[in-house]
Amino acid sequence: ERYTRPYPMGKRTGYYKWAVNLNGRQVFLGSEVKLLQNRKGSTIEQEKQDLEARAGCVLITFGDGQPENDELGDKVKHGDLVYIKSSRGYWLATPNEDTYCATASTSKELRQPYYVYYNKCTDKGTQYTMKFGADGIQLMLAPIQGVEESYPERHGYTYLYQATTGSTKYDEHLEGNTKQFWKLNEENSIDLRYNVSVVLRDMYVDSFLVVNTKASCKTFRPHGALKVWVEGKYRRHLAANFDYKFYFYKA
């Protein structure tokens, strides 16, 4: 019931609905919410993210995040080949040359396929693996037919991980590295579903995978002008330019 009680706000600016994942499906709760701008100097997106963080679920506009096909709620299985798309239309994209950093693009032609694996992390050095167990999600670069191997692939770095520098990069496969293991919430859920909005958080320091919509890769090749950087951010740093909700689609 707490999800249907938005916090008091000021001037009316838009309509939203609460939504939660229930048995792998995105379910609307209660009537529409009037999202309001209350804090001085805040943006609507900042108000929205703050409200979501406190309530533990998401607010979405009508028509936003609807499934691209009829696979809504199907379990993403171990070894599945997937594409990953953010709520604002950014696909996790093919890597740039001369860097191990991850990228995103609104261009469908640049999207990067990944293999999804559910593995047990052997690192017991952080509270995020000690408290709830060590099963996590791993995302591995998949080869693209007819396309030359990317810079990270040529060096054996194919697993998406959250670097301590704040960048999201690719690394070699390390069973004991919590930075390359992902969870969906505080309880370490790995119940990953197709076409359902999820938040990916590393199992090292609980930082969020985000697309930095303002960080262009224009000085990199190939197609850098069409890409932006993917980063890791703590919840308290989720500004309006960070897109942190993702959907998985079958490749």
Side-chain angles (χ1 to χ4, degrees):
E1 189 177 353
R2 69 191 176 100
Y3 296 134
T4 61
R5 295 178 183 168
Y7 289 84
M9 297 286 193
K11 181 181 177 182
R12 186 175 75 177
T13 53
Y15 292 88
Y16 295 78
K17 275 194 174 183
W18 289 114
V20 294
N21 290 341
L22 183 63
N23 295 327
R25 294 184 177 274
Q26 194 170 65
V27 178
F28 292 107
L29 300 175
S31 58
E32 61 197 45
V33 173
K34 299 171 184 178
L35 187 60
L36 312 170
Q37 189 170 349
N38 188 44
R39 295 175 296 172
K40 184 178 180 181
S42 69
T43 65
I44 291 302
E45 184 64 23
Q46 287 170 338
E47 292 286 355
K48 180 173 177 289
Q49 292 177 356
D50 180 66
L51 190 56
E52 289 172 333
R54 286 186 285 167
C57 58
V58 298
L59 283 165
I60 65 174
T61 55
F62 298 109
D64 178 34
Q66 294 303 308
E68 294 190 345
N69 49 47
D70 60 359
E71 299 169 346
L72 178 64
D74 287 353
K75 173 75 174 178
V76 180
K77 299 181 179 66
H78 182 83
D80 274 4
L81 188 64
V82 305
Y83 293 116
I84 305 170
K85 186 179 183 180
S86 77
S87 63
R88 300 183 206 169
Y90 287 85
W91 299 93
L92 292 197
T94 53
N96 293 324
E97 279 295 304
D98 301 317
T99 178
Y100 300 118
C101 295
T103 69
S105 176
T106 56
S107 172
K108 198 170 185 177
E109 288 71 28
L110 297 179
R111 60 185 178 173
Q112 170 67 49
Y114 292 86
Y115 288 115
V116 176
Y117 298 119
Y118 301 98
N119 291 320
K120 187 174 290 293
C121 181
T122 58
D123 181 8
K124 296 294 183 180
T126 74
Q127 61 175 310
Y128 304 107
T129 53
M130 292 176 67
K131 188 174 181 181
F132 299 109
D135 291 324
I137 300 166
Q138 290 189 295
L139 301 172
M140 177 187 174
L141 284 173
I144 303 174
Q145 187 174 6
V147 176
E148 182 183 352
E149 283 188 333
S150 65
Y151 182 84
E153 289 176 290
R154 294 198 302 271
H155 293 80
Y157 294 162
T158 56
Y159 281 78
L160 195 71
Y161 87 105
Q162 210 78 293
T164 52
T165 59
S167 299
T168 302
K169 299 182 179 182
Y170 296 100
D171 196 5
E172 60 185 327
H173 182 217
L174 298 170
E175 294 180 352
N177 186 358
T178 48
K179 299 173 189 176
Q180 63 179 240
F181 283 79
W182 305 89
K183 60 180 184 175
L184 306 181
N185 55 28
E186 287 87 350
E187 286 72 38
N188 279 18
S189 169
I190 56 173
D191 185 22
L192 187 58
R193 303 275 173 166
Y194 286 110
N195 300 344
V196 174
S197 175
V198 297
V199 176
L200 293 168
R201 300 153 71 155
D202 73 73
M203 292 177 65
Y204 179 61
V205 292
D206 198 34
S207 61
F208 288 55
L209 182 73
V210 305
V211 174
N212 187 343
T213 60
K214 291 186 178 180
S216 174
C217 304
K218 62 183 179 181
T219 59
F220 284 78
R221 61 181 177 88
H223 311 295
L226 299 177
K227 299 175 184 176
V228 294
W229 297 114
V230 178
E231 301 173 357
K233 298 294 177 183
Y234 292 116
R235 183 194 293 277
R236 62 183 179 273
H237 296 148
L238 293 178
N241 56 299
F242 298 129
D243 191 1
Y244 62 93
K245 295 170 190 157
F246 296 92
Y247 295 84
F248 281 66
Y249 300 107
K250 287 186 177 180

